[in-house]
Amino acid sequence: MEYSPQFRLFPTTEQRESLDWNRNTVRQVYNHALNEFNKIPEDNGTLRQRVWQVRDALPALKQQWTDLKQVYSTVLQKAVERIRTNINNLGKLKSKGYDVGSLNWKGPREYRSFTYRQSGFELDKKSGPRDRAILRLKKVRGETLGIPIRLHRDLPDHDAIKEVTVKKEPTGAWYASFCISTDKPAKPTPKDIETEDTVGLDLGILNFIHDSDGRSIGRLDLSDEREHLEREQRSLSRKQYESNNWESQRRRVAEVHARMSNKKRDYKHKLAHFYAIEYDAVFVENLNVKSMLESSENARNKHEVGWSDFRAILEHHCDKHGTHYVEVEARGTTKECASCGVETKKPLWVREHSCPSCGFELDRDWNAALNVLSRGLKKLGVVHSKATPVETATAVDTTSVSASRVVEAGSPCLKEPPKAASRQG
């Protein structure tokens, strides 16, 4: 499987100028290639053949555009091949029901990265300042740059680095992503999995996750950051567009955005890591996020929670640690009784499930998580034990976990056992 860990670069002022020159030149090559690609009729070969036709014209283009000789050849090739990748990504979005258009010309602030493939770079871990290595990039404005890079964690075991992508964030910071391939760990067979080593996750709005073991994990509170962002955005709106003051304020707005994004991503990765290493199988709802966001009810909160992003991160961690990741049908998990299966309609403000048929009572989200667990066990083919998920659930109370405790490095809060219940459900 492939990983793309990202690390911070610390270029000097001169190196920043060279990286920016390289990025802007590659952007212009992309725009030129896109223009040439659009001239080729669709019946003149497959998408790959038409893109490769444009790519093969790069040597002749170098003779006319001499600045391209100062850029590494694979970097230019990857810029042209990005057309194919972008068109395929648009096709995936279209298949999911999204309205997509065509590829457009990229402005200076829209094209932020360039990629080396297989060669043209070297990661020297023995050189550089303390806690840093040196990333050497060939032919950046015609020169080889040795840029300090902070390796905040070790790279997974790998044979070779396949690609290096150098990217400039809106804040002005530079990062490098390494694309590496590692062996995929084996997953246990369904017949060897015990039901106690599986978990169902109900993704919510009031709480981020409620799992079938009784944990209720709160949402990440970003209200202070959101107020800060609004203040900075109001200040930006009062600046003259593209003036020096406007550019300085734009970067401050981008920094607030980056801090919020980093906090949310860190929070989701820590949760996903816990579930991937704690269980042999994780079951989650296959939510139709697009239609949910189009509704007028809680659209902002639903978007901020980031269900699709969390599911992608969770699947990545499950593949990384040899855990089964299974998505199940989400329809009816809240209405259906986890004990007898009878459906009961209830408005959103009703937070308790009370079955009129069998009398089973439980927290609404916990009941949904148990249904996710049952559907996941059936879909994966895990044989149920004598004790059903419902019987196990009614023996304990919900364990509430705040988001602030999750983000604490090394916090054991998720592994704390639930307290014994004072009553049976």
Side-chain angles (χ1 to χ4, degrees):
M1 61 182 301
E2 291 189 352
Y3 293 96
S4 297
Q6 181 172 277
F7 302 94
R8 177 76 181 270
L9 293 172
F10 296 89
T12 63
T13 301
E14 292 182 356
Q15 290 175 338
R16 286 178 180 272
E17 293 176 355
S18 296
L19 289 171
D20 265 323
W21 182 92
N22 219 64
R23 176 181 61 88
N24 190 54
T25 302
V26 174
R27 176 188 69 87
Q28 295 178 61
V29 171
Y30 173 86
N31 288 333
H32 170 80
L34 181 60
N35 182 60
E36 295 299 313
F37 172 80
N38 290 333
K39 295 178 182 179
I40 303 175
E42 291 188 9
D43 58 358
N44 193 13
T46 63
L47 171 62
R48 181 181 184 276
Q49 290 171 338
R50 285 178 284 143
V51 172
W52 262 238
Q53 181 178 339
V54 178
R55 188 194 66 177
D56 293 341
L58 283 174
L61 183 62
K62 285 184 178 181
Q63 301 304 319
Q64 305 172 16
W65 191 354
T66 56
D67 282 352
L68 299 188
K69 296 180 180 180
Q70 301 183 61
V71 182
Y72 203 75
S73 58
T74 60
V75 173
L76 299 176
Q77 293 171 10
K78 286 292 293 185
V80 178
E81 293 169 9
R82 186 181 293 193
I83 296 174
R84 181 191 178 202
T85 303
N86 291 346
I87 291 177
N88 287 332
N89 289 338
L90 288 179
K92 292 177 182 178
L93 290 175
K94 188 175 181 179
S95 65
K96 294 180 181 179
Y98 290 89
D99 294 329
V100 298
S102 57
L103 299 184
N104 298 322
W105 180 89
K106 295 290 186 182
R109 284 198 294 266
E110 297 174 319
Y111 198 99
R112 304 204 305 266
S113 66
F114 55 91
T115 302
Y116 288 83
R117 177 177 55 197
Q118 296 181 341
S119 61
F121 59 87
E122 179 188 1
L123 181 61
D124 185 0
K125 298 182 180 180
K126 298 180 180 180
S127 303
R130 182 181 178 183
D131 300 327
R132 295 181 186 176
I134 294 293
L135 177 64
R136 293 188 175 86
L137 303 175
K138 294 183 179 180
K139 296 190 77 172
V140 179
R141 205 174 188 177
E143 300 179 349
T144 298
L145 301 185
I147 307 174
I149 181 173
R150 182 171 60 201
L151 299 178
H152 57 272
R153 59 191 176 97
D154 294 331
L155 293 174
D157 294 334
H158 61 280
D159 294 330
I161 299 175
K162 298 171 62 177
E163 293 181 352
V164 171
T165 298
V166 182
K167 181 179 182 181
K168 182 182 181 181
E169 294 292 340
T171 59
W174 285 90
Y175 289 86
S177 296
F178 301 98
C179 181
I180 58 179
S181 295
T182 62
D183 295 331
K184 199 171 184 178
K187 298 179 181 180
T189 59
K191 66 178 182 179
D192 294 331
I193 297 177
E194 299 291 337
T195 55
E196 293 79 7
D197 296 326
T198 62
V199 66
L201 306 183
D202 175 68
L203 306 179
I205 298 177
L206 297 180
N207 293 311
F208 187 69
I209 288 177
H210 203 308
D211 66 31
S212 56
D213 282 346
R215 300 184 191 88
S216 178
I217 302 170
R219 286 182 54 189
L220 191 63
D221 183 13
L222 296 175
S223 56
D224 291 342
E225 287 81 357
R226 196 179 300 112
E227 291 179 3
H228 185 194
L229 176 63
E230 291 172 355
R231 290 197 301 270
E232 298 293 353
Q233 286 177 327
R234 285 196 296 269
S235 178
L236 177 64
S237 66
R238 293 192 290 267
K239 302 290 190 293
Q240 183 179 351
Y241 182 66
E242 292 193 339
S243 64
N244 290 336
N245 287 337
W246 179 90
E247 177 60 25
S248 298
Q249 185 61 30
R250 183 199 64 79
R251 292 200 174 189
R252 280 194 284 270
V253 171
E255 288 170 358
V256 179
H257 272 295
R259 282 197 296 271
M260 294 176 67
S261 179
N262 290 339
K263 284 185 178 182
K264 288 188 284 188
R265 185 168 58 249
D266 177 71
Y267 175 64
K268 292 171 185 176
H269 272 285
K270 286 179 177 176
L271 280 179
H273 176 76
F274 165 76
Y275 282 110
I277 64 174
E278 193 73 11
Y279 296 94
D280 290 334
V282 179
F283 311 121
V284 65
E285 298 170 295
N286 183 13
L287 297 171
N288 186 351
V289 178
K290 177 178 179 293
S291 62
M292 297 176 70
L293 292 179
E294 289 174 349
S295 66
S296 59
E297 299 177 357
N298 282 326
R300 176 177 176 177
N301 289 333
K302 292 174 184 176
H303 187 276
E304 189 174 82
V305 169
W307 290 315
S308 296
D309 189 34
F310 175 71
R311 285 186 301 175
I313 292 173
L314 179 60
E315 184 176 11
H316 165 76
H317 279 274
C318 287
D319 288 339
K320 181 179 178 180
H321 295 286
T323 303
H324 289 277
Y325 170 85
V326 180
E327 293 185 356
V328 302
E329 174 62 44
R331 186 180 299 275
T333 53
T334 302
K335 300 177 183 178
E336 185 179 303
C337 177
S339 179
C340 67
V342 173
E343 289 194 2
T344 305
K345 291 185 178 181
K346 42 186 173 286
L348 186 62
W349 55 268
V350 176
R351 305 312 304 169
E352 291 291 326
H353 168 78
S354 180
C355 181
S357 177
C358 66
F360 179 67
E361 295 182 355
L362 198 66
D363 179 88
R364 171 196 182 114
D365 295 333
W366 195 353
N367 175 76
L370 292 173
N371 285 325
V372 172
L373 175 62
S374 297
R375 295 181 184 185
L377 293 172
K378 183 178 179 180
K379 186 174 182 178
L380 186 59
V382 178
V383 179
H384 287 244
S385 62
K386 294 182 180 179
T388 66
V390 173
E391 291 172 343
T392 304
T394 56
V396 294
D397 278 333
T398 297
T399 300
S400 297
V401 180
S402 68
S404 60
R405 296 185 66 196
V406 173
V407 298
E408 293 174 3
S411 174
C413 60
L414 290 173
K415 296 185 179 181
E416 293 176 358
K419 299 179 181 178
S422 59
R423 62 176 178 83
Q424 295 295 319

